[in-house]
Amino acid sequence: MPRHSLYRRARTPLALTATAAVAAGLVATSVGSANAAKAPHPQRVKPTVVLVHGAFADSSSWNGVIKRLKKDGYPVVAAANPLRSVSGDAASVKNLLASIEGPVVLAAHSYGGAVISNAAAGSDKVKALVYADAFLPDKGESANDLANKAPDSVIGKVLRPVPITDPDGSKDVDLYIDQSRFRQAFGADVPAATADLMAVTQRPGTGTALNEPSGEPAWKTIPSWALVGTNDRIIPQKLQVWMAERAHAHIEKVRSSHAVTVSHPDAVTRVIEEAARTVR
C-alpha cells in the first residue's frame, strides 16, 4: 500500500476529533452567548413610600393612593401622625423611618408637610419629599403663620376648639372642623357620603401643633415635589405655589379641594411615583 494512503488513513480519526472539538467549542460559545443575552438584569429595588396625614384626617385618607402604589409594586407605610406638636410628631415619624431598610420617599398632606419637613432633616435615608396640598414651612414658621398669609383661607372660620388638659397639667385645645361645614371647607369634590364619614372620623390637631414654629426644613437639602390643589380652600393655591417655589419644588397642579388624597388619588400617586423614579 502506498505510504501516502497510510498517512491519510492515519490522519482521519485525528481530523474528526479536532473537528468535533471545534464544533463543541462553537456550540458552547453560542449557548453561553445566548444565556448571557437571556440573563435577567437585576431589578432596581423600589423605595419605600411613607405617607403622613395632616390634621382633620387620618391614615385612611391615603387608602386610594396606597392601593395604587401597592399595585405598582411599591412598599408603603402610612404613619399614624399624633397631631400633638410639630417636634413630637416629627420625632414619631423619624422613629418610623429608622425602622425601614433602604431609601424612602416621604409624602405628606396638609399639616403633615410641616411634620415631614422636620422629620427628614439630616436624614440620609429620605431621598425625596412630596407635598400634596401641604404646608412647606421655613425655619421659624408655623402652619398658622402660613395660613394667615392667605386671606382667602377659610380655616379660621370653620374651626371648633375643644379645651383639653395635657398629662403635664398644661392647657391646650383640640381643633376640629365643624362637621356641618366640613365638606364645603375641606372636601367639596368628595362624594357627600364620604365627606360625612370624614367629618365624623376626623382627628383634631392641637393649638400647639398648628402654632409651633418649624425647625430647619429638609426641603432645603432634599429634592421636593408639590401637588397643588387649585380649588383648595384650606391652603389656597397661591400660598401653596409660593411655598413650593421657595422650596424649588417640582410643581404640578390638579383641580382639587383640600382633600386631594381622597378625591384625586391618581394624581397624588403619579407625583409620588415621579419622585420615586429619581431615587437611585
Side-chain angles (χ1 to χ4, degrees):
M1 184 179 290
R3 182 182 296 178
H4 67 271
S5 295
L6 292 172
Y7 180 75
R8 288 169 59 190
R9 290 172 64 185
R11 286 199 48 156
T12 299
L14 294 174
L16 291 174
T17 302
T19 301
V22 170
L26 289 173
V27 170
T29 302
S30 299
V31 171
S33 299
N35 287 340
K38 293 179 181 178
H41 295 289
Q43 291 187 339
R44 180 168 60 87
V45 177
K46 292 184 176 181
T48 298
V49 179
V50 176
L51 306 169
V52 180
H53 66 82
F56 323 119
D58 61 20
S59 291
S60 69
S61 61
W62 292 102
N63 282 356
V65 177
I66 294 168
K67 178 180 178 180
R68 288 159 175 79
L69 287 171
K70 290 185 71 66
K71 181 181 178 182
D72 291 341
Y74 286 90
V76 186
V77 179
N81 189 358
L83 305 176
R84 302 292 89 184
S85 67
V86 172
S87 54
D89 299 342
S92 175
V93 172
K94 191 180 287 287
N95 289 335
L96 176 62
L97 294 174
S99 73
I100 297 172
E101 293 186 6
V104 169
V105 174
L106 188 54
H109 173 243
S110 193
Y111 160 79
V115 175
I116 69 169
S117 294
N118 287 267
S123 172
D124 59 358
K125 185 173 290 188
V126 178
K127 304 300 182 182
L129 298 168
V130 178
Y131 297 85
D133 279 354
F135 289 110
L136 288 81
D138 202 347
K139 184 177 181 179
E141 293 176 339
S142 70
N144 191 46
D145 291 335
L146 291 166
N148 286 334
K149 293 180 181 293
D152 49 340
S153 172
V154 302
I155 188 63
K157 304 172 184 176
V158 299
L159 291 179
R160 183 174 65 86
V162 174
I164 60 172
T165 302
D166 290 330
D168 63 0
S170 60
K171 304 296 183 181
D172 204 342
V173 290
D174 266 340
L175 297 170
Y176 295 83
I177 293 179
D178 186 284
Q179 289 190 25
S180 66
R181 306 179 73 177
F182 187 94
R183 185 174 186 231
Q184 181 186 19
F186 196 95
D189 57 352
V190 174
T194 302
D196 286 346
L197 288 175
M198 292 171 64
V200 172
T201 60
Q202 66 179 293
R203 291 187 55 204
T206 64
T208 294
L210 299 182
N211 285 282
E212 183 180 348
S214 174
E216 192 71 24
W219 50 254
K220 290 188 176 180
T221 57
I222 299 174
S224 303
W225 281 254
L227 181 63
V228 175
T230 60
N231 293 330
D232 193 330
R233 302 189 68 200
I234 300 294
I235 313 176
Q237 175 184 183
K238 287 184 178 179
L239 176 58
Q240 287 192 54
V241 170
W242 175 76
M243 291 186 291
E245 288 180 342
R246 181 178 65 174
H248 303 292
H250 305 269
I251 300 173
E252 296 192 28
K253 295 182 179 181
V254 61
R255 190 173 179 180
S256 174
S257 70
H258 188 61
V260 66
T261 61
V262 178
S263 60
H264 290 83
D266 284 327
V268 177
T269 303
R270 185 183 67 251
V271 174
I272 290 173
E273 292 190 0
E274 284 178 10
R277 284 192 290 272
T278 69
V279 177
R280 295 292 181 265

